[in-house]
Amino acid sequence: MGSDPLGDVRWAGYRRKLIEDIRARGIEDLEILQLFDRVPRHLFLPEGVRPRAYEDAAIPIGYSQTASQPSLQAYYISILKPTSDDKVLEIGTGSGYQTALLALLADRVYSVERVRELSQRARQALDAFGVKNVALLVGDGTIGWRKYAPFDVIVVSAASPSVPQALVDQLADGGRMLIPVGGRDIQELTLVTKTGFAVSEEVVGGPVKFVPLLGRFAWSEEGGA
Ligand code: SAH
């Protein structure tokens, strides 16, 4: 297939199956479904788990972390609807797969990851995929990324005991943030929107189970991941 720049024809069939699974989870938006056809998830996963790349499941990526479940990422995107004008902040780069999905929709994606090795691996995969509008930072995402604030969209990919105020502060007027809030074992998906000085919070999904957000304005690192 000449339209397959990564030569991953053998994966394309699996990817179609994943898209069916995402659709079965209630995501009908064609643009979102096509987005998942454009990003080769296997490229973002460690060698050993690549055969599972197109399962609609969280997949271990090392360092006690997981790549999130694709249908959940599709749900995030359906709620946040990033557009080509939007500046996006992602907390928890992880594999970089979701970073790539967001990069295809948004103007620019700024993504923060606390595990240096994961950020480095994500950089390699993003370069191999060929997206150029992504900036990565190794650090504590609970304090956001002040240098590039404010952000139209903030995507938090790890579970937090509460909404970190620094992230609310870095949300643009008209901005929206999705973050799993709750206990270490189970959380609700919380949508935070900002209009002028008014900030509102609404539960839009769950229960979900994300790995913990570890940092200054979430859980302490000593608690273990
Ligand atoms: N969207 C990613 C999700 C990875 S899991 C993917 O699909 O691959 C969540 C990630 O958040 C982990 O890689 C973890 O190391 C990271 N993380 C946890 N606390 C963080 C913090 N305070 N700042 C930045 N990243 C953090």
Side-chain angles (χ1 to χ4, degrees), residues 65-68 73 92 94-95 112-114 118 139-141 157 211 214:
Q65 306 304 327
T66 57
S68 312
Q73 295 175 321
S95 65
V112 186
E113 168 58 55
R114 62 181 282 276
L118 288 177
D140 178 6
S157 295
V211 296
L214 302 175

Side-chain angles (χ1 to χ4, degrees), residues 41 44-45 59 61-70 73 90-99 102 111-116 118-119 137-144 155-159 210-219 221 225:
R41 193 177 187 224
F44 293 86
L45 299 180
I59 305 283
I61 54 173
Y63 309 93
S64 310
Q65 306 304 327
T66 57
S68 312
Q69 185 179 3
Q73 295 175 321
E90 178 187 51
I91 308 301
T93 314
S95 65
Y97 173 63
Q98 177 173 268
T99 320
L102 294 167
S111 186
V112 186
E113 168 58 55
R114 62 181 282 276
V115 180
R116 178 175 305 276
L118 288 177
S119 183
L137 176 72
V138 176
D140 178 6
T142 67
I143 59 174
V155 183
V156 184
S157 295
F210 278 81
V211 296
L213 185 66
L214 302 175
R216 187 158 155 213
F217 296 111
W219 278 295
E221 320 229 351

Side-chain angles (χ1 to χ4, degrees), residues 83-163:
T83 72
S84 56
D85 293 328
D86 284 341
K87 219 155 72 164
V88 176
L89 174 67
E90 178 187 51
I91 308 301
T93 314
S95 65
Y97 173 63
Q98 177 173 268
T99 320
L101 294 168
L102 294 167
L104 293 179
L105 295 172
D107 176 37
R108 257 193 104 64
V109 181
Y110 300 86
S111 186
V112 186
E113 168 58 55
R114 62 181 282 276
V115 180
R116 178 175 305 276
E117 291 83 354
L118 288 177
S119 183
Q120 286 169 345
R121 259 205 247 147
R123 172 46 73 197
Q124 284 174 7
L126 288 163
D127 287 347
F129 180 51
V131 284
K132 306 245 182 281
N133 56 339
V134 173
L136 301 183
L137 176 72
V138 176
D140 178 6
T142 67
I143 59 174
W145 194 345
R146 193 184 299 271
K147 184 173 175 192
Y148 295 106
F151 301 97
D152 304 293
V153 171
I154 300 181
V155 183
V156 184
S157 295
S160 185
S162 61
V163 181

